């Protein structure tokens, strides 16, 4: 299929915003602030930043090289660049499978966010703290409501993806990403202006090295992967729509910085408001669905309209962040079926939508109406989360790094990295060292630690 038929991103800004849209998601707005808060605030942020620089950026560039060089879906890209080796094609398949499973459980949380956006518009999530808690518990265990919202979210994603790379993905990202940034800044300003808010800012930005230990290091690494969408072939698929003259390292740096900036801003949105009302933000779904509605309500008790508006903006922000990420997960499978089965894009998108919706239904029921639906003592939802984030994703990034560092013709890697010699070779040497040694070693450490062998 020619590049004309496949489509590509039309502008540099489109490339950055679409790829940053994939990276910026619930991982930034929900998971990062909690992790930073519980792992020594700025100390965690500094370690996270080193992980992004040393591991994340080289990992991103590796996927970009494979995707841009091959201009094909992930499975074909690995196959093509390895000179037709089946083994490496498997890494492409692994990425497609990982992204589809993530879409299955991510859509459940995204569906909750969408439901909460409507509920906050109609004022349903305001009231006593116990009411807000009951509201979440009764909603999430309802036999069909959360299932419908999850499937609804997959369908919204579907309709953006079928519109194509430029008219669907690029256009949606150009609209949603600036909106997301504006919403975030408005909420950060409101949150930081509350009485006592500075204690929250200080907590997040004052490094407390007494918390630092090996497990924090590994948590920071894992968070960096998930947040950058690394190891799912997502970046590889998006890079197949990049232009030949796109600066791969420059784009990776810009996207990684934007992703980190948004994660820190999300912390500055949550912590000052929580500290202002004396609440310690905790983990898991309860943070955004139980704790924060209460925090907004109490923090703006003097002006309830402001609290009402902030809650709406907050859930809109979550929905936008989740949507630009689910679009990228959906696109990986859609591109694959379109090119491998020679189907029209809208038909292949339906295959992904049907498969992921089924998984989303299972995941939603497993944490709601159907207790015991799961594997290895975990609910299906937690199992999918564990399997992808802790096993498949690092495995994908590890294999990709070995592949690009040791198996792909290094002249090809250098030519892609430097755009045929038009970019500096110094950075290439540093990249090559990192992708050969640092990235695989660090991922190996995560694995060994996770299975208790370290
Ligand atoms: N990076 C996204 C987030 O932070 C999640 C994601 C993972 C998206 C893998 C695509 C692929 O929420």
């Amino acid at each position: 299929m020619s590049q004309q038929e496949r489509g590509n991103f039309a502008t540099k800004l489109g490339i950055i915003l679409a790829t940053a849209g994939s990276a910026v998601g619930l991982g930034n707005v929900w998971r990062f602030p909690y992790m930073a808060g519980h792992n020594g605030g700025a100390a965690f942020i500094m370690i996270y930043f080193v992980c992004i620089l040393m591991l994340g950026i080289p990992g991103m560039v590796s996927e970009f090289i494979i995707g841009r060089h091959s201009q094909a879906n992930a499975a074909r890209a690995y196959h093509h660049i390895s000179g037709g080796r089946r083994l490496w094609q498997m890494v492409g398949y692994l990425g497609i499978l990982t992204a589809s499973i993530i879409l299955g459980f991510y859509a459940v949380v995204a569906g909750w966010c969408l439901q909460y956006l409507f509920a906050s518009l109609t004022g349903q999530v305001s009231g006593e703290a116990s009411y807000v808690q009951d509201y979440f518990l009764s909603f999430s265990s309802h036999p069909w409501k959360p299932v419908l919202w999850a499937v609804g979210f997959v369908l919204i994603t579907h309709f953006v993806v079928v519109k194509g790379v430029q008219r669907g993905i690029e256009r949606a990202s150009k609209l949603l990403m600036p909106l997301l940034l504006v919403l975030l800044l408005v909420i950060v300003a409101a949150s930081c202006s509350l009485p006592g808010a500075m204690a929250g800012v200080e907590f997040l930005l004052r490094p407390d090295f007494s918390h630092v230990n090996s497990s924090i290091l590994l948590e920071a690494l894992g968070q960096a992967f998930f947040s950058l969408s690394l190891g799912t072939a997502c970046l590889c698929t998006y890079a197949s729509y990049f232009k030949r003259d796109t600066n791969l390292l420059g784009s990776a740096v810009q996207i990684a910085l934007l992703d980190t900036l948004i994660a820190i801003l999300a912390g500055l949105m949550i912590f000052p408001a929580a500290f202002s009302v004396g609440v310690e933000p905790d983990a898991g779904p309860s943070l955004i669905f139980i704790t924060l509605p209460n925090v907004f309500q109490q923090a703006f008790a003097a002006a309830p309209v402001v609290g009402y508006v902030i809650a709406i903006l907050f859930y809109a922000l979550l929905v936008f962040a989740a949507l630009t990420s689910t679009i990228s997960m959906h696109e990986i499978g859609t591109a694959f079926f379109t090119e491998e089965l020679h189907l029209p894009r809208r038909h292949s998108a339906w295959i992904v939508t049907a498969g992921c919706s089924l998984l989303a239904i299972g995941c939603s029921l497993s944490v709601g109406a159907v207790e015991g639906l799961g594997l290895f003592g975990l609910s299906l939802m937690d199992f999918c989360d564990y399997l992808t984030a802790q096993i498949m994703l690092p495995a994908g990034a590890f294999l990709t790094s070995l592949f690009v560092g040791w198996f792909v013709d290094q002249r090809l890697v250098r030519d892609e990295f430097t755009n045929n010699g038009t970019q500096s070779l110094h950075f290439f040497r540093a990249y090559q060292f990192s992708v050969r040694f640092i990235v695989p070693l660090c991922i190996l450490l995560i694995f060994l630690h996770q299975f208790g062998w370290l």
Side-chain angles (χ1 to χ4, degrees), residues 1 70 72-81 89 339-340 342:
M1 202 181 265
S70 315
N73 68 80
R76 188 175 294 203
Y78 279 82
H79 185 252
H80 170 80
I81 211 168
Q89 190 179 9
E339 287 166 23
E340 300 308 312
H342 306 290

Side-chain angles (χ1 to χ4, degrees), residues 21-28 99 102 106 223 225-230 232 234 259 321 325-326 328-329 332 393:
S22 166
V24 174
L26 299 175
N28 303 58
I102 296 181
Y106 204 90
Q223 172 65 15
F225 278 163
F226 188 81
S227 192
L228 293 177
S229 314
L230 258 182
T232 55
C234 195
D259 187 65
S325 296
T326 53
S328 71
M329 298 169 205
I332 302 175
L393 209 130

